[in-house]
Structure formats: C-alpha cells, structure tokens
Amino acid sequence: MTTHIEVRRGSYHDSVTLLQVSQDVAAVDGVDDAIVAMATELNLAVLADLGFDRVDLGDATPNDMIIALRTADDEALRSALGAMERSLSASSRSTSGGDFQAPPPRTVGVAARSTDTNLAMISVPGEYAFVEAMDALRAGLHVMLFSDNVPVEQEVALKREGARRGLLVMGPDCGTAIVGNVGLGFANVVRPGPVGMVAASGTGAQQVCCLLDEADVGLRHVLGVGGRDLSAEVGAASTLQALAALDADPATELIVIVSKPPDPEVADRVRNAARQCDTPVLLGFVGRDQLDLTAVADAAAERVDHPITNHRRWDPSVIPSPAVGELRGLFSGGTLCDEAMVIASAALGPVRSNIPLEPDWALDGDDADGHVMIDYGEDTMTRGRPHPMIDHSLRLNSLRREAQRPGSHVVLLDVVLGHGADADPAGALAPAVAGARRVAADRGDRLAVVVSLCGTRDDPQDRDRQAAALADAGATVHLSNAGAARDAVRLVSGDNR
C-alpha cells in the first residue's frame, strides 16, 4: 500500500472540475482512494474519514489544492498521478476558450450591453456573487443567482435594488427555474402547459413539477426565488414580485407557490397577496399541519382536470422486512429533507438534523444516535464541493457508516434527476445500497433502504432505468417524497403491512 499526500499552494480549480479529476484518477487500476479537492474544512474532514493524516497537509487553506491518493503500489501511484495531470490539463484546455476576434467580456454588465438578453444566470463563489448580481441589475437584467453562501443582508439589498428597477432577483441559492419552458440550473424535463410556479425551494419545485408531469400536466414558468425568500429577514420580496408577474400572464391558468418552512407572518402576507390574484393560487408551504408536496401536486392536477390516482413506486424482488431501530435520512435536497422530517417526527418524535425543525433538535456532527436526517446540500456542506446532486461521495461515506452501525435501521435517500444533476446516480448509489445491506445482513441485522426518486420519464438519466437499478439493489423506490418518508416510518416502526 502506497499513500501520497500533496498540497499545491494557490492552485485553484472549481469543485466540479476537481470532482471529474478525482473520478478519472479513481478509475485507474490499483487506486483505492483518490481525493483531488480544495483544502476546505469539509474536504479535510472527508480526508480524515478516509484515514489520511491531516498533519501531512500542514497549514493548507481553502485556496490550496490537495491531492490524497492511496494505491496498491508505487507503479499504481505513478499511473494515478499521470492520470491526474492529464485530467487537469484537459480541463484547462476546455475552459480556456478558443480564438476571439475581440476580447471576451470581463463583467456581466459589459456582456449585457453587447447582447439583447434580459436575464443573467450567475454562478460564482458566494463571496463574489453580490458584485456580479448588482452589476447585472444595473445593466437592466433580471437575475437568477445560483450561488449559495451569500449573506442574507446582501440578498435583501439585491432584492430591494431589483424591485426598485422592476427586475426580479431569483435567489441566491436558486437551484431551479423554468422560464418560457426553458430549464435553468437543476431542471427536470417537463412538458409545457398552463401551470406557473413560484418556488422558495429548489427540490420542492422539482418534486411538484415531476409529479405533475407524470400526470401529463405541463408547466409554463417556474420562478425560483431562493430558499430564504419567505424568511422574516427577506419578507417574501421576490415571491410577491413573481406572483404578480404570473398573475399578469394570460397563459398561466394556475399558480402554485412552494416554500421551505416559512416565517408565519411572511406566510400570511403571501396568503393575503394570493387572495388578491385573478389567477387561482395553491399554496405549498412545507411544515406541520400543511399539505405535503405530493398532496399539493394532486390538488394542482385536479384543478386542471388531470386527477392523479396513484404515485408510482418500484419494489425490490424481496420486499424489505421492518427494521425496527433508527431512521437515518441522507438528503441532497433541503426541502425534501424538511418534508421527510415533518412526516417522520409526527410519528416518531424528535428527528435531529443540521437543518432542524426545532432548535433543540440541532445536530452536532452526523454520528448521533436516534432518528437523524442530514441535508448534504446545506450551505456549509457545499463550500469547496460540488452539490450532492452531482457528487455523492459524502452520502456514500455516510451510507457505509450506517451499514457498520450495530442493530437494524432504515435509511432514506433522495435521488434527484434532470439537467445539471449526475448523469448516472444509480451507477454510484445502487452498488453502495447493495453493499450496505450485505454488510448489515452478514452481521445478522437488517438495513432497509427507501429512495425518493425525483425525476420525469424524459429526464436525460432515463428515470425508469435508474429506478430499476436501485430496486435491483434492494431499495424501495417512490416518485413521491412524502410516500417514501411514510414508507420509511412504517418500516422503522415495525409495521409489516
């Protein structure tokens, strides 16, 4: 066994590039572990979990690139390092651009003034997002701000500036939008139709979109506004703007508003605005005593005369037995995690989380006992890393840990498809699910796995093939996140129905 740890000072590459480099290196024969990443605290913690000695990294900072390899022998290490250099070089060539008659624009404002576009999509590290978004607004552009880790006071300032100029600010942390039937960010392939959506939630919007598409109900616009828009600090600034815009659109026959758990007073403000609309409005606020997102999709489909009779699921060849113990949720979507916690806590009691429903349910680390659900897409989990819809490595590590925990348990996973997401999530997750269940079975325990699959039949990943692969690995797969959560609760409660 050969171990190699290297720090390259001041060598920056974006997280998606380094994920591809790591995958290219991991595919080399004789490579057991390969991490090529920026030296953020989260990435350093991942290295520690894999058994690499953090002392060997010295005083590496997030501006430094780390290379950590574990190979069968020195020859495999040389091959791995060669593959890494080739992958980094190929990435540099692909992003350097071709020949230009004139220098490319250096700012959003300059680019805007040279085209007739009216929307800027901005995806830069959070500390730089405010300047770029403000530049776009001052150039007269609506903004979709994909970036996360943007301070809330900067969000408020951007939305005030946008409102003053009659421009919509979607985000920050706006992962999903559909504008004029064109998907932006993490977007599923849905048919065009009469429904418009305002979404203070990325995966919440995707869940409703996918369930509607399955019922042959089409979408016209999905205006993401960022997960904090209905917080007390932001006050639904973009939600109210987007609601008014959809209400003024004669082709929109029904408006659906989806949000992470909102501030109560802000939610009332949105309800009051919805009552003033000429277009019918359905509210989908995730939280206790609210309709779950599946019920919201059912109600929307009913309103446009496409009632949903059932929600598809795929069962494994051997139906899982109850695994009385603890429920562990490993999520890439924050709203899907919120919804699952609302459902689970109503039946099981407190569910600890890094995005807790109650302050005293906050989770410190992810190895706590009891019922736990983690949102791996939360801002602190994505600094210097690709979003978990692209990179499953953190969840794979957690799934391996869950398999090694004594006792029988239930693991609840979400898998989100669509443009921008991993091209083949089941390729990584299905073997991990099968392996985790096998580890538990060898110990005499049961590990049941339930998957919430958010996707449409036309998504590029081939949704039905993804579902079949996960079911073949032993998971029960649901298109409804609420259905998956209730199934997981049933199993962990010992219900054999």
Side-chain angles (χ1 to χ4, degrees):
M1 183 72 68
T2 301
T3 299
H4 175 87
I5 297 179
E6 179 182 347
V7 178
R8 296 192 179 181
R9 304 287 180 186
S11 179
Y12 175 81
H13 296 271
D14 70 80
S15 57
V16 175
T17 294
L18 294 183
L19 170 63
Q20 183 61 59
V21 173
S22 295
Q23 292 173 341
D24 291 344
V25 175
V28 173
D29 288 342
V31 174
D32 296 319
D33 293 298
I35 299 290
V36 184
M38 302 309 293
T40 64
E41 281 299 318
L42 182 59
N43 288 333
L44 294 177
V46 172
L47 288 177
D49 286 345
L50 292 173
F52 288 98
D53 193 340
R54 187 164 173 167
V55 173
D56 293 339
L57 298 171
D59 58 350
T61 75
N63 294 318
D64 303 325
M65 187 173 74
I66 49 176
I67 302 160
L69 307 175
R70 188 177 288 119
T71 63
D73 50 37
D74 290 345
E75 182 178 353
L77 175 62
R78 286 191 292 272
S79 297
L81 290 171
M84 181 194 70
E85 297 296 353
R86 289 191 295 274
S87 186
L88 284 171
S89 177
S91 172
S92 296
R93 287 195 302 273
S94 68
T95 58
S96 62
D99 296 327
F100 292 92
Q101 298 300 316
R106 298 292 184 181
T107 69
V108 175
V110 170
R113 286 186 282 274
S114 64
T115 69
D116 59 358
T117 188
N118 66 355
L119 171 67
M121 181 175 177
I122 295 172
S123 179
V124 296
E127 58 264 40
Y128 309 117
F130 177 79
V131 172
E132 300 299 337
M134 189 62 77
D135 190 28
L137 291 172
R138 289 171 177 167
L141 301 179
H142 301 284
V143 170
M144 177 180 173
L145 187 51
F146 190 83
S147 306
D148 59 8
N149 287 295
V150 176
V152 69
E153 60 271 16
Q154 293 184 359
E155 176 174 353
V156 170
L158 288 170
K159 290 181 174 178
R160 284 177 179 167
E161 181 71 11
R164 189 177 71 82
R165 295 173 177 270
L167 299 169
L168 180 63
V169 177
M170 297 187 286
D173 204 8
C174 177
T176 300
I178 298 173
V179 179
N181 305 128
V182 176
L184 301 172
F186 293 118
N188 299 96
V189 180
V190 297
R191 65 203 65 234
V195 178
M197 190 182 304
V198 182
S201 157
T203 51
Q206 289 184 266
Q207 169 74 155
V208 175
C209 284
C210 292
L211 294 176
L212 289 177
D213 185 82
E214 188 69 4
D216 296 325
V217 177
L219 281 296
R220 177 164 170 77
H221 302 292
V222 177
L223 302 180
V225 294
R228 294 184 305 210
D229 197 70
L230 270 69
S231 67
E233 297 92 336
V234 185
S238 289
T239 294
L240 297 174
Q241 271 187 278
L243 177 61
L246 292 179
D247 189 37
D249 176 18
T252 298
E253 299 175 12
L254 175 69
I255 300 171
V256 180
I257 300 178
V258 176
S259 175
K260 294 181 177 182
D263 174 80
E265 292 186 5
V266 176
D268 286 342
R269 196 178 310 159
V270 173
R271 288 189 186 96
N272 290 334
R275 293 189 191 103
Q276 305 303 313
C277 290
D278 295 325
T279 310
V281 179
L282 284 175
L283 300 178
F285 296 154
V286 173
R288 296 187 180 95
D289 302 319
Q290 303 290 332
L291 292 177
D292 61 53
L293 295 175
T294 300
V296 171
D298 290 349
E302 183 77 29
R303 294 288 288 271
V304 294
D305 298 323
H306 282 73
I308 299 173
T309 56
N310 59 69
H311 296 283
R312 191 171 178 188
R313 60 182 280 169
W314 290 259
D315 289 313
S317 56
V318 177
I319 303 300
S321 301
V324 179
E326 296 170 345
L327 176 58
R328 317 288 278 196
L330 311 177
F331 281 86
S332 61
T335 304
L336 301 182
C337 185
D338 279 327
E339 180 179 59
M341 287 193 293
V342 168
I343 292 169
S345 62
L348 304 175
V351 177
R352 300 187 67 193
S353 178
N354 63 329
I355 55 166
L357 295 176
E358 301 287 348
D360 58 353
W361 295 0
L363 180 66
D364 183 14
D366 57 2
D367 291 326
D369 292 330
H371 307 303
V372 172
M373 294 193 187
I374 301 172
D375 171 21
Y376 285 92
E378 194 269 334
D379 280 6
T380 60
M381 305 286 278
T382 58
R383 287 194 178 101
R385 295 192 62 85
H387 194 279
M389 291 183 201
I390 303 171
D391 177 11
H392 307 289
S393 57
L394 291 180
R395 293 202 295 167
L396 293 175
N397 289 341
S398 292
L399 183 57
R400 283 191 286 267
R401 286 199 299 271
E402 292 303 326
Q404 293 162 1
R405 294 175 66 241
S408 295
H409 307 288
V410 178
V411 171
L412 177 60
L413 293 165
D414 67 337
V415 177
V416 183
L417 308 180
H419 291 299
D422 182 5
D424 182 23
L429 291 170
V433 167
R437 295 181 68 250
R438 188 165 51 248
V439 168
D442 289 346
R443 194 176 57 243
D445 292 325
R446 289 188 300 277
L447 182 70
V449 179
V450 181
V451 172
S452 162
L453 180 62
C454 184
T456 71
R457 69 197 88 176
D458 295 320
D459 278 335
Q461 293 88 352
D462 189 343
R463 183 199 65 191
D464 292 358
R465 181 180 66 82
Q466 296 291 319
L470 291 163
D472 287 346
T476 305
V477 182
H478 295 256
L479 286 187
S480 162
N481 184 65
R486 292 190 176 97
D487 197 19
V489 167
R490 176 186 65 81
L491 288 168
V492 84
S493 301
D495 188 340
N496 202 27
R497 290 176 294 176

